[in-house]
Amino acid sequence: MSGLAEQVVALGVIALAQLPQPQDLQASQASGDPDSIHVLVNRQNPLEPVDYSPDDLAEVGVRTSEPEPVYLREEAAEAAEKLFEEASDDGVSLAATSGYRSFESQARLYSARYAEHGVEPTDEFAARPGYSEHQTGLAVDVISIDNPECILGECFHETPEFDWLEDGADDFGFVIRYPEGMEDITGFAYEPWHLRYVGTETAAEVAERDLTLEEYWREPAAPEYDDPEPDPEHLRR
Ligand SMILES: [Zn+2]
């Protein structure tokens, strides 16, 4: 090839590489940065560092089902407050039950169950420490005050509160993170009550396309942990 032809080919390669790729046209990509609102946490993607804790936690000023306050990262807390306010205006009876959980509290939760029941039932019950979205400060579990029998139960799906969230949570930047029938992708059975903050643009696209975050971000499915047993160092210390 002549020098000129080589230059033309090289330019062509550069031009192709600069064409927008389909994934660039969406609102966000998955991040490995625990401080990003787009951090991906699942059975294949623990938080790094594993004992990460956010430095901008804020008490969420909404009705809670427990005596303890619920904390989220500032941006998510503000969004949750707006969501609850609008829900209340629409006559929907939501309360928050669980927001940020530290590595240590997830370790306590997991270890207590693990000591009694072993790994499999415990993995079904709770994420391993370092693998919970609640540790990001971007996830909140909600309940229907009028339907206490459905707290953290699948029948939450039948409540008017869920209908309202399915319709409008994305307007406030939240997605229903563990949809029905997607366990082989998310690693979680259906959790209609678990909301994850990703910002309004991403949430709108995820809701519109009816996807899991793994699918939206074109990340591998995460049905399983790599290790059959949790890291003993991560159990209650
Ligand atoms: Zn949850």
Side-chain angles (χ1 to χ4, degrees), residues 24-209:
D24 298 333
L25 301 174
Q26 59 184 38
S28 67
Q29 301 298 318
S31 175
D33 175 0
D35 284 323
S36 166
I37 61 166
H38 301 128
V39 64
L40 175 65
V41 179
N42 61 24
R43 289 182 170 189
Q44 290 292 314
N45 292 276
L47 280 155
E48 282 177 37
V50 76
D51 60 353
Y52 165 81
S53 67
D55 58 14
D56 62 348
L57 289 171
E59 185 174 338
V60 190
V62 301
R63 190 161 171 184
T64 60
S65 67
E66 305 295 318
E68 303 83 38
V70 167
Y71 293 91
L72 290 174
R73 289 186 55 198
E74 230 160 47
E75 183 179 340
E78 277 173 29
E81 286 167 5
K82 286 187 191 140
L83 180 151
F84 272 68
E85 206 177 297
E86 181 134 329
S88 161
D89 288 349
D90 289 346
V92 168
S93 70
L94 281 175
T97 187
S98 181
Y100 168 71
R101 281 203 295 268
S102 67
F103 176 85
E104 287 73 20
S105 60
Q106 192 71 21
R108 273 196 300 278
L109 184 80
Y110 188 94
S111 302
R113 189 60 73 125
Y114 176 81
E116 199 174 334
H117 301 282
V119 68
E120 267 180 46
T122 308
D123 280 343
E124 270 174 42
F125 166 76
R128 294 180 187 177
Y131 291 80
S132 170
E133 269 201 337
H134 285 281
Q135 198 182 320
T136 65
L138 298 169
V140 59
D141 294 332
V142 298
I143 68 154
S144 160
I145 297 165
D146 296 339
N147 295 275
E149 73 284 5
C150 296
I151 293 179
L152 307 185
E154 231 182 83
C155 71
F156 180 68
H157 175 90
E158 320 283 339
T159 65
E161 285 66 38
F162 176 75
D163 283 344
W164 188 92
L165 289 168
E166 196 178 32
D167 235 36
D170 63 302
D171 292 347
F172 302 90
F174 288 90
V175 297
I176 294 159
R177 174 68 176 98
Y178 304 120
E180 194 165 19
M182 293 297 166
E183 195 170 355
D184 289 346
I185 294 174
T186 64
F188 280 80
Y190 186 33
E191 289 197 359
W193 60 83
H194 178 109
L195 303 178
R196 159 70 195 267
Y197 183 76
V198 287
T200 49
E201 287 178 25
T202 297
E205 291 184 357
V206 169
E208 158 103 36
R209 301 186 206 168

